[in-house]
Amino acid sequence: MASRRTRYSTLGLALPALALYSVFFVWPLASGLYLSLTDWNGLAKTCNFVGLRNFAELLGDSLFVSSIVVTLKYAAFVTALQVALGLILALLLSSERIRFRPFLTTAFFLPKVMSAAIISVIWTFLFGNAFRGALGLIGMENTAFSWLGDPDRAIYSLGIVEIWHGLGYYMIILMAGITAIPSDVLEAAEIDGAGLWEKTFHVTLPLLAPTIGVCAILAAANSLRAFEIPFIMTAGGPGFSTTTLAYFIYNTAFQSKQFGYGCAAALYMLAGIMAVTLAQLRIVQRKGVEY
Amino acid sequence: MKRRALFGLIAAFTLSMVAVNPCYAQKPVTLRLVQWKTEAREAIEDIIAEFHKKYPHITVSMEIPGQYDSYIQAKAAVNELPDVVGLYGTGLFDYAKSGLIQELTGAPFLSRCTPFSLRATTDQDGRVWGLPIDGSAIGVYYNKSIFQKYNLEVPRTMAELEKVCTALRKNNITPFALAYKDAWTIKMAAVTCYDNYVYGPYPDWTELRDRGQVTFAGSPEWRQVLDALRFILSNGNTNTAFETDYDTAAVMLATGKSAMLVQGLWALVGIRSISPEMDLGMFAMQAFWPDAKLVHFTDLCLCISADTKHPSEARLFLDFLTQQQAALTWCRGARLFSAVKGVKPDFDPITGDIFAYIDRGDTTTVHDRTWWSSFNTTFEKVLQEWMVGSTTDAEALKKLDDLWDRAKASGNR
Amino acid sequence: MLSILLVMIAVAYMLPFAFAVTSSFKSKAEILLSPIALPRSWSVRNYVEAIKRSNFAISLMYSLTITATAVAGITIAGATAGYAIARSHSALSLALLSFFGMSMFVPFQTIMIPLLRTAMSLRIVGSVPGLILIYIGLGCPLAVFLYYNYMRAIPRALEESAVIEGCTHLQVFRHIMLPLARPVTGVVAVLQGLWIWNDFLLPYLILQKPLTIPLNQVYFYHSFNRDWNYIMAMFVLSTVPVILLFLCFQRRIISGLIAGAVKQ
């Protein structure tokens, strides 16, 4: 029958994508599942099957647990500020009253175009040498305030870099969302006597809620995977205060040569990210506002 | 008859040409060399240039990649280890055991190295796996001019060290330059302490620990190490210690902002590049233990990859490195000792101090060579965490114990 | 006024770039000794050395080649698969869609180690074409979704008339669907192109040589110390082309990124 032939021949078109995707994504995913059940050390040719031992050990590994805590702190901080600041900037830069809008948009967006690796290197210098140098001008170079050297503060300093990096992206998305709001709704509100505050809070923001939700989901998904910034800026230190989950996995596999263990941790990471993203989707869908 | 004679003559002529000038008949070969010491770049490149003059058909190309350990590990995993690869400590024997580097036992050039240096590349069965290149030391650099200015002596007791630090601080000089952003420098400070306080009384502490007869947490010697580290931390640029890196600390010493720096000999190149004429000395951390010795060991060793396509050229290069001229070039450029016998280490005034210790036999070697490798990489981070105050002494030592046990269980020495 | 304040903030936002530029003309010792002063002399020595040592020109070429080829591959793979799924009616197509959808949740770390192992057994570690294939494999799901979504909405009338006139499906795809889906192609090119150009970890693990721009950046960031002077020069060299490209194609890039985000 012609339709069956067409059905299969069209599906044949999907072969290139399927093939490469299966080889480089699905197969590694499956083999990661298998590796997490072994004790492979990355160098040897053979390894032993150890069942769920890696998963159990991880739960008792204080470094693993602390890396989860560090990652959550980082992600919460970054997501909240990226969305909040992005929203404020988007509102401002969508307003007719602000001048130089093209310049401002470009300026805030520019860091997004650069790679995390490159900006990490520069910010390491800024937080360390440049900051001390500036303090030195007023003779305060020995102050105890340290961006990257204070274990309680370091993870938030890294967060500042991530925020600087991605802020423009969410600002742009929100700006697009703002322009999508039909002008008759705003006009209707004005006719009803609403001022700037009321228009923003009772009309713009609720209509923008889905977009804000999308930004939050993207920002969270991105920051939960933080690797380059802690890797380059602090090597997970001081101590382990900036060792994120992704960095923990990298270290376990490539520094401590415990590949099986690292794969198990990576599966925990997958579960965690899925859980967070699904929870966020739930919230966004529930709070969606119709007008 | 005549034709045969002519043929014979031509053959003889060609053969003699090849015999006289072997390179004439050889294809050009490129050897890849990889090692991690950026300070030694110029020295090695000078040696490479000399080597190329002697063997024009061999070109050695050196690379000093960032993230050295994971780089060569990844290369090894796909059988692409460079022809000549720099290795150190336990890593060298890891690679030997996995069959990744060639055995060099019996090679004639090895006899030109000092027995002390060969210990770094000889395993327990007496097999040699690499060529030792340097001799390094880890101790406390000190600014002799500053010490002289304030009438300070090299401290041999705790009381003397405290006096030195107080005097320095009174004159607005930071006693110790601390570079603890780079956790490996913490290990340097720790090394000068534990190689003495722990491995001094118990040279086989590692075996004792493996058998469970001692622990970090239950060991008064390790507590001493922590006390010593605590003292150093509080007598340096404490507030900026964890954002100061290795290069910045070297600058602090070189510019006189700080008077002491616990580091290895390899830092000399960086310090001299800023203050070439500085009057520098080195002493062992005797303040905490009167019998303390200077840590003296072989750091850089060059090994030949087991899969190299040019084993004989690689051996030629290693042989060249053991020649007196190359060893001298090494010393002068890298400002490190040479593993070659009979090379006078007068490349820098500081060697006088170091040699004093060596002559008296007051040296000890690095003992982390016997440690589990996954313990090695996390050890300094646990100390760093302890130093910023996130854990107590007892917690930090317990963490080291847990780490050791887990490393032992995963079996990678 | 608020505008002026915002401009000042925006200028401060650009401070890191300014630092990199001024530092790039200093020697390493000068950078450490006087980090915020203007350089004593504007010598280009760092640039020359950095370019020589890190093969900057080569890595620029590699980055361009890898990004362009991989994006082309992703576009083709994604468009063909998206079209196939959009036009087939079987349950298989839904299965395929979820199959591709798996990748949305999975962080790179989860497949990083086994991917390296797969690459090792396929002997493509250190190979640039191998890296490109990996990028296509990892990057096509997003493209598949975007093309599927778009093509689903295109009325079949166009294709049916073409088939009646004797075209094969491949021809229909090439001459009708692909041109119609040009907006999606733009989005895919921008999203995946930006990701690949700036990617660090994957080339780091697979190539192990500083062959791309981000890898070059870390080349001078050694295990035990850092060559700040070369790092700064490299930073300026790496970001100037990107900034120029961005300024030229600003509008398209931004709209591409927005569309991509909204679709997710």
Side-chain angles (χ1 to χ4, degrees), chain A residues 125 129-130 133-134 137, chain C residues 18-19 21-26 30-42:
Chain A
F125 179 77
N129 310 55
L137 289 179
Chain C
F19 261 112
V21 170
T22 53
S23 304
S24 64
F25 294 101
K26 302 182 187 172
E30 201 192 330
I31 293 180
L32 292 173
L33 285 169
S34 49
I36 56 176
L38 284 177
R40 244 180 281 153
S41 69
W42 297 82

Side-chain angles (χ1 to χ4, degrees), chain B residues 32-93:
Chain B
R32 288 188 54 218
L33 162 65
V34 145
Q35 58 93 23
W36 71 90
K37 286 187 179 294
T38 54
E39 301 95 341
R41 184 195 294 273
E42 268 98 45
I44 300 186
E45 277 177 358
D46 286 342
I47 297 178
I48 289 178
E50 290 293 317
F51 180 72
H52 188 63
K53 263 193 250 174
K54 183 163 181 202
Y55 300 100
H57 70 292
I58 308 182
T59 316
V60 182
S61 99
M62 172 172 71
E63 243 192 84
I64 308 185
Q67 314 305 319
Y68 189 74
D69 288 323
S70 41
Y71 176 84
I72 50 171
Q73 191 186 326
K75 284 289 185 202
V78 292
N79 295 330
E80 265 192 27
L81 211 52
D83 304 297
V84 182
V85 54
L87 292 169
Y88 61 95
T90 41
L92 197 150
F93 299 110

Side-chain angles (χ1 to χ4, degrees), chain B residues 13 19 23 27 34 55 80 119 191 218 229 246 287 293 317 320 335 342 368 398 408:
Chain B
F13 180 76
C23 301
K27 291 190 320 187
V34 145
Y55 300 100
E80 265 192 27
R119 268 190 264 153
V191 156
L229 290 175
Y246 164 72
K293 311 189 190 303
F317 183 62
F320 186 79
R335 294 193 189 267
D368 64 348
K398 170 124 197 342
K408 179 156 167 254

Side-chain angles (χ1 to χ4, degrees), chain A residues 63-231:
Chain A
L63 289 177
F64 175 67
V65 174
S66 91
S67 73
I68 294 183
V69 172
V70 167
T71 310
L72 287 175
K73 273 200 258 185
Y74 179 83
F77 177 68
V78 169
T79 306
L81 279 176
Q82 273 183 334
V83 174
L85 292 176
L87 185 57
I88 295 175
L89 279 176
L91 287 170
L92 285 173
L93 264 61
S94 302
S95 153
E96 308 267 296
R97 291 200 244 163
I98 304 290
R99 300 197 308 213
F100 313 117
R101 269 178 298 157
F103 165 74
L104 289 173
T105 316
T106 313
F108 285 113
F109 189 76
L110 213 49
K112 179 66 182 176
V113 177
M114 322 190 55
S115 81
I118 290 181
I119 66 165
S120 300
V121 173
I122 297 297
W123 274 95
T124 310
F125 179 77
L126 282 179
F127 273 142
N129 310 55
F131 175 67
R132 292 279 160 190
L135 284 183
L137 289 179
I138 51 175
M140 283 193 54
E141 63 204 10
N142 272 326
T143 176
F145 185 93
S146 173
W147 290 102
L148 299 178
D150 184 330
D152 298 318
R153 182 176 300 126
I155 189 66
Y156 298 110
S157 307
L158 297 188
I160 291 179
V161 179
E162 176 80 66
I163 294 172
W164 179 84
H165 187 213
L167 183 56
Y169 181 54
Y170 303 107
M171 174 186 83
I172 299 272
I173 296 179
L174 288 164
M175 279 169 75
I178 290 176
T179 50
I181 295 179
S183 46
D184 39 340
V185 179
L186 287 168
E187 279 167 19
E190 262 181 41
I191 291 173
D192 282 346
L196 185 60
W197 274 138
E198 276 110 51
K199 265 203 298 189
T200 312
F201 273 105
H202 294 280
V203 180
T204 314
L205 282 185
L207 287 176
L208 215 43
T211 319
I212 297 179
V214 167
C215 284
I217 294 177
L218 290 175
N222 190 43
S223 53
L224 283 169
R225 296 160 205 227
F227 174 76
E228 279 109 342
I229 294 184
F231 177 65

